[in-house]
Amino acid sequence: MITTYLTFFIVSLLLTSAATPMVRWIAIHFKILDVPDDRKVHKELIPRLGGIAIYLGIVMTLFIGYFVSEVARDLIDKNFRLCVLLLIGSSILCMTGAVDDSVGLSAWKKLLFQVIAAFIAYFGGLHLHIYESISTYSPLFSIVTMVLTVFWVTVITNSINLIDGLDGLASGITIIVVLVLSVISHHNGNIVASFFAIVVAGSVLGFIRYNIYPAKMFLGDSGSLLLGYLLANLTLNGIQQKSLLSSLTIAILLLSMPLLDTTLAVFRRFMKGHSIFFADGNHIHHRFLKRGIKHPMSVMILWTVTLIFGMAALLISLHDVGPVREFVNIFSVLLLGFLSVRFSSSEIFEFIKFFRSANRRKLTPRSKNITVRRAISFISSFRELQKVRYYLIELAEKIDLDYMLVEIIVDRMGRSTMNEFLHWVRQLHQETEAYGCASGISITSSIYKGRDGIICKVNLGKKKWKLRRQSEEDQVWAKMLSKSIAEVYLKLRPETR
């Protein structure tokens, strides 16, 4: 059996290595490229669609194996329904990611397709079992099992998508996890899961040479969604221990880094009042870079941590009882707890700010964010520019704003429009001075020439704003307000004449 595993590992590696340059050429030819921005770490245009190459490598290996190898044919025939539905689910998510890489999809649409693929896996026979003693014919048991299975597949799929932020990071984590899964599955007697994990490992290894720093090609959403989906299903199929707790322990250890990063991201965004799909630059890998750790070293550290937890999961799986299992359990809990505290410093700070604000009867950061977003929607409904001026003062007083810098690029409005806009802004602090001073809030403005053209800078907040730096949250709000104010002005501009 080892010879069969090794053969298909090499075949999938070679097929993906051959497919990747062709897919890369297609991505460049059709301009399916990842454009750098302030949040991303790369500085050049990098082709996406790496998931297509991995998908082709896996499918072609299975296709060849079915007609060439009796072992592969026997495994696929015995699990034909599972293999077909798993292939359908993988195809759906790979294509969904490819469309997102090409033209873009909203987060909710991608989530919808993830849920559909998760249901396909469930009906294919992949279940997160609760207790073996409960009758499988119980309607309640079936519903709970279905919900937990769909939730697990969706969470793991998104966790790989979120951690795909550095060159080779998600690919390397996937290789480590599927190789450990292959050993665990083989030990448990689940040969089809072990075989499939080996094929996935070879395919990703064939791609990673193009994905490690400096990357020549990115996984894209086509790759991260595909790998996340495969990992979720392989953990469901390959790690079925005697109890749910034991199975979850092994799965969580294997996927500890993606799950920890996802948990912190969801908590951080919830505390700040953002959508859970809000993209930010505070993931675990971003924090390594901010501390001055080089890009390749950051990836190596996270690979090493994943490998350590993978070995811990393997030892737990191989030892049902005994001192080895107890030692590994204690070590894993301590290490995971240490990393959770170490990586969650900003989340802990947000949590403290939340309770401080609550105790002082002030708006929490989450409430402030929601208030500002509602205000921006409210501003867009104004029919008079005069109301915009006074509403900005009310907004600053309501959220107890220390300082907000609103910068609006006016050079692109056209010369006549720009002059009218500058005149309107200069009137802000004159017409609202008395009202602003009464509430402790003031508006000042200035004009300067920036990199993007002539920029109008509006300082909104308390008079002591010069003593403080603009907070990260205020920067987010300011960008949102800048866009809203400019759009409202351009819509209502004729009324100023």
Side-chain angles (χ1 to χ4, degrees):
M1 200 64 193
I2 300 298
T3 305
T4 304
Y5 285 158
L6 184 60
T7 300
F8 281 94
F9 178 83
I10 295 174
V11 170
S12 63
L13 187 153
L14 294 176
L15 288 174
T16 305
S17 297
T20 301
M22 293 185 288
V23 175
R24 184 176 183 272
W25 181 87
I26 292 173
I28 294 174
H29 180 75
F30 289 99
K31 293 182 172 55
I32 306 175
L33 308 171
D34 197 298
V35 181
D37 57 30
D38 296 337
R39 191 177 59 87
K40 298 175 181 177
V41 297
H42 63 94
K43 305 300 180 184
E44 300 176 355
L45 296 173
I46 307 293
R48 296 174 172 176
L49 296 183
I52 300 294
I54 295 174
Y55 175 82
L56 290 175
I58 294 172
V59 172
M60 287 189 295
T61 301
L62 295 176
F63 182 80
I64 292 173
Y66 186 81
F67 290 101
V68 173
S69 171
E70 292 184 5
V71 176
R73 186 186 308 115
D74 185 55
L75 287 174
I76 294 174
D77 284 340
K78 288 181 178 179
N79 302 272
F80 188 76
R81 181 168 177 265
L82 172 62
C83 292
V84 169
L85 290 180
L86 193 60
L87 183 61
I88 293 174
S90 300
S91 302
I92 289 174
L93 285 190
C94 188
M95 292 303 104
T96 299
V99 172
D100 184 53
D101 292 336
S102 305
V103 297
L105 279 177
S106 67
W108 286 108
K109 289 180 180 178
K110 288 193 290 184
L111 181 62
L112 174 62
F113 286 110
Q114 291 171 31
V115 172
I116 292 173
F119 272 108
I120 291 174
Y122 173 80
F123 290 114
L126 295 177
H127 300 163
L128 186 62
H129 297 291
I130 306 175
Y131 294 107
E132 298 296 335
S133 59
I134 300 180
S135 172
T136 55
Y137 297 99
S138 169
L140 178 61
F141 173 79
S142 300
I143 293 173
V144 173
T145 300
M146 182 179 64
V147 171
L148 289 177
T149 301
V150 171
F151 177 76
W152 174 260
V153 174
T154 305
V155 168
I156 300 304
T157 301
N158 278 287
S159 68
I160 299 299
N161 182 251
L162 288 177
I163 207 167
D164 183 28
L166 297 181
D167 298 351
L169 179 56
S171 302
I173 289 176
T174 300
I175 292 173
I176 294 170
V177 173
V178 292
L179 286 176
V180 176
L181 273 171
S182 180
V183 177
I184 294 176
S185 300
H186 186 81
H187 174 74
N188 293 340
N190 195 333
I191 305 301
V192 66
S194 180
F195 171 76
F196 202 88
I198 283 291
V199 172
V200 173
S203 185
V204 179
L205 188 61
F207 169 78
I208 200 172
R209 57 178 292 216
Y210 298 93
N211 191 227
I212 57 175
Y213 183 84
K216 297 179 181 178
M217 190 173 191
F218 286 160
L219 280 171
D221 273 23
S222 61
S224 58
L225 294 179
L226 172 65
L227 295 182
Y229 183 72
L230 292 175
L231 285 176
N233 287 291
L234 285 172
T235 52
L236 287 176
N237 194 25
I239 310 177
Q240 291 298 339
Q241 301 293 309
K242 294 180 180 180
S243 67
L244 175 66
L245 180 60
S246 180
S247 300
L248 283 178
T249 300
I250 295 173
I252 290 172
L253 287 178
L254 281 172
L255 299 165
S256 55
M257 285 298 96
L259 286 175
L260 177 60
D261 184 55
T262 301
T263 302
L264 294 178
V266 172
F267 179 80
R268 178 175 63 250
R269 294 166 188 178
F270 175 80
M271 293 299 294
K272 292 184 177 181
H274 295 305
S275 166
I276 59 173
F277 302 116
F278 177 80
D280 59 28
N282 288 319
H283 291 282
I284 291 175
H285 45 273
H286 291 136
R287 298 179 191 186
F288 278 106
L289 298 179
K290 290 177 181 179
R291 293 174 181 175
I293 302 176
K294 299 292 185 180
H295 190 135
M297 183 56 65
S298 300
V299 174
M300 287 297 298
I301 291 173
L302 292 173
W303 282 358
T304 303
V305 173
T306 302
L307 181 60
I308 292 172
F309 280 116
M311 292 299 100
L314 180 60
L315 290 173
I316 291 175
S317 177
L318 297 178
H319 297 82
D320 292 335
V321 292
V324 174
R325 184 183 178 107
E326 296 300 326
F327 172 78
V328 174
N329 283 336
I330 295 173
F331 171 79
S332 301
V333 169
L334 291 176
L335 180 58
L336 189 57
F338 170 77
L339 293 176
S340 299
V341 173
R342 194 75 177 85
F343 290 141
S344 61
S345 56
S346 64
E347 285 75 19
I348 293 174
F349 179 69
E350 290 295 332
F351 193 66
I352 294 173
K353 282 173 59 178
F354 178 86
F355 276 98
R356 282 182 176 177
S357 300
N359 292 334
R360 296 175 184 176
R361 295 184 179 181
K362 294 183 178 182
L363 287 177
T364 63
R366 171 178 170 79
S367 300
K368 284 184 179 181
N369 201 324
I370 293 174
T371 301
V372 171
R373 284 191 287 151
R374 288 176 178 172
I376 290 171
S377 177
F378 189 53
I379 287 174
S380 64
S381 66
F382 284 155
R383 295 293 179 265
E384 297 179 11
L385 283 173
Q386 186 75 10
K387 291 184 177 180
V388 177
R389 301 168 183 168
Y390 293 109
Y391 188 75
L392 287 175
I393 291 288
E394 293 179 1
L395 175 64
E397 181 183 9
K398 184 175 182 179
I399 64 177
D400 192 28
L401 186 68
D402 286 328
Y403 167 50
M404 181 183 290
L405 174 62
V406 179
E407 292 189 334
I408 306 168
I409 301 174
V410 296
D411 197 25
R412 300 174 183 172
M413 292 183 175
R415 181 61 59 180
S416 60
T417 306
M418 182 182 69
N419 291 332
E420 293 175 3
F421 181 77
L422 297 182
H423 176 71
W424 177 74
V425 171
R426 289 191 181 101
Q427 290 180 325
L428 276 175
H429 63 278
Q430 297 176 3
E431 297 188 9
T432 59
E433 185 176 5
Y435 182 82
C437 291
S439 61
I441 303 295
S442 63
I443 293 181
T444 59
S445 63
S446 59
I447 310 297
Y448 71 99
K449 188 173 183 180
R451 183 179 59 182
D452 297 322
I454 298 177
I455 296 176
C456 172
K457 182 169 67 175
V458 181
N459 300 312
L460 174 67
K462 297 178 181 177
K463 290 189 174 182
K464 63 178 182 179
W465 65 268
K466 290 184 178 180
L467 303 178
R468 296 174 56 91
R469 291 182 58 192
Q470 187 178 21
S471 68
E472 180 181 349
E473 203 64 29
D474 286 350
Q475 291 177 20
V476 175
W477 296 341
K479 289 180 180 180
M480 296 164 69
L481 275 175
S482 299
K483 182 179 179 180
S484 179
I485 293 172
E487 289 177 350
V488 170
Y489 180 81
L490 289 175
K491 182 174 67 174
L492 302 179
R493 184 176 62 87
E495 297 182 12
T496 63
R497 292 178 176 178

